[in-house]
Amino acid sequence: MKAVIVGAGTMGQGIAEVGLSAGWEIHLVDVDQEILQAARSAIMRRLARRPADREPASQPSIDTLCLGTDLRTACLRADVVIETASEDLAVKVGILTAAAEATTSDAILATNTSALSVTEMGAASGAPHRLVGLHFFNPVPRMRLVEVIRGLETSEAVVERAANFCLELGKDPVILNDSPAFVASRVNALIGNEAFTMLQEGVASAEDIDKALRLGLNHPMGPFELGDLVGWDVRYKVLQHLHVTLGDRFRPNPLMVKYVQAGRLGRKTGRGVYEYPAIDSKG
Ligand code: NAD
């Protein structure tokens, strides 16, 4: 099984890690070698930290990880290409169009978009039947769900194979029809936005709003803890998209917008709703 992962950031690294653990051959592609080498080191560190509860033969191996900046070369003999590049329609369509041209017609093309339209990307890339959404969650090795998104023209065979890939990776897929931000992120965007509205209104402190959702609704993390982990810039883009596509109930909260403008994006910048003074840049 050969998978090409395009974009070696947070999500690309996570999917590469679970792919290697499943015994897949992984080709990781990004725009420069420095990003790729940093991604390789991070993946190696995480694989080394895994509990040694496996047979030696089933230990994930870093030897089946290849790095490169040339997407077309990486796509040779690929069974699946998963794009995990920045949340930008033009960037994603560029990658998917090149991948469609460089792969055989039985290769699956997948996007890990958080909110963009799988149907639109399918049409723009010229391969609508074999493009499917594979929405993994962060951190990928720990989160069981993958939303498998059927675009308007995605073939059923592709949807089924994509769901089977998820099972091979030890994930639990849910198949759904293309819709802005899909299911989990759409609900979550509203929760995070409402939490910011309550913070702005002075209803409670961030700590207490988080505590109320953890203890009262059994959420494993409060909305501010989770937003700090995901990044408020990512959350803001999702809300902007939902606002445009689904209406006013998704209007981004102005205090959240200010946090983004101030660079208080969360853990990755050392400061979001909470402070992370001793941030470990090596992840
Ligand atoms: P990231 O910024 O950590 O990584 C994106 C990577 O893509 C970068 O390394 C960048 O150099 C690379 N890239 C950009 N353009 C490229 C190109 N043309 N070719 C190759 N590589 C390119 O982003 P991320 O957080 O990993 O998110 C990636 C995607 O996954 C986005 O669409 C995001 O919405 C989605 N997503 C993110 C999360 C999350 O919690 N971070 C969760 C689910 C889905």
Side-chain angles (χ1 to χ4, degrees):
M1 173 74 188
K2 173 177 172 181
V4 180
I5 298 172
V6 192
T10 309
M11 299 306 288
Q13 289 175 27
I15 298 168
E17 184 183 328
V18 295
L20 292 169
S21 300
W24 289 11
E25 177 187 338
I26 300 288
H27 287 240
L28 197 51
V29 176
D30 209 300
V31 291
D32 72 51
Q33 279 296 341
E34 210 171 306
I35 295 173
L36 286 164
Q37 291 301 340
R40 186 176 198 276
S41 304
I43 294 167
M44 279 175 72
R45 255 197 321 277
R46 283 190 213 112
L47 286 177
R49 266 193 234 141
R50 289 197 155 202
D53 59 349
R54 301 156 174 255
E55 296 296 316
S58 68
Q59 283 288 354
S61 165
I62 198 80
D63 299 341
T64 54
L65 176 67
C66 302
L67 308 176
T69 53
D70 183 358
L71 173 61
R72 284 168 195 273
T73 307
C75 281
L76 290 174
R77 294 181 296 99
D79 297 295
V80 58
V81 179
I82 306 174
E83 84 61 33
T84 56
S86 322
E87 186 76 346
D88 178 307
L89 185 66
V91 169
K92 287 181 184 295
V93 167
I95 290 167
L96 292 167
T97 305
E101 287 167 5
T103 47
T104 54
S105 60
D106 57 348
I108 289 185
L109 307 176
T111 171
N112 186 51
T113 180
S114 301
L116 299 171
S117 164
V118 173
T119 304
E120 189 176 359
M121 278 186 258
S125 65
H129 305 300
R130 56 189 178 112
L131 180 68
V132 66
L134 278 183
H135 186 214
F136 288 83
F137 289 76
N138 186 21
V140 178
R142 287 219 301 275
M143 299 298 285
R144 283 177 57 203
L145 180 66
V146 180
E147 290 175 327
V148 177
I149 298 118
R150 181 195 285 119
L152 188 68
E153 306 285 359
T154 311
S155 85
E156 272 316 296
V158 164
V159 171
E160 205 176 301
R161 275 177 66 205
N164 281 331
F165 287 160
C166 298
L167 294 172
E168 274 183 41
L169 294 175
K171 301 297 174 197
D172 213 338
V174 166
I175 297 173
L176 50 116
N177 292 319
D178 193 15
S179 170
F182 321 124
V183 172
S185 302
R186 175 164 155 184
V187 172
N188 212 25
L190 265 190
I191 293 174
N193 213 34
E194 193 61 25
F196 252 113
T197 301
M198 288 191 283
L199 187 66
Q200 190 180 18
E201 289 169 350
V203 172
S205 66
E207 287 83 355
D208 283 345
I209 293 170
D210 274 345
K211 184 175 169 183
L213 268 79
R214 274 199 317 272
L215 304 189
L217 299 183
N218 235 357
H219 289 194
M221 297 175 86
F224 295 120
E225 293 166 323
L226 184 56
D228 273 5
L229 179 68
V230 170
W232 293 105
D233 53 336
V234 175
R235 184 58 65 73
Y236 179 38
K237 274 195 172 176
V238 172
L239 275 165
Q240 282 179 310
H241 181 65
L242 286 169
H243 187 211
V244 169
T245 50
L246 298 179
D248 213 49
R249 67 190 191 279
F250 291 97
R251 179 186 294 280
N253 171 275
L255 182 59
M256 193 197 82
V257 176
K258 269 192 209 162
Y259 273 56
V260 174
Q261 288 167 339
R264 290 176 62 166
L265 305 182
R267 285 178 178 271
K268 63 185 170 187
T269 57
R271 195 166 179 231
V273 175
Y274 301 114
E275 309 266 337
Y276 304 92
I279 190 167
D280 174 3
S281 61
K282 291 178 182 156

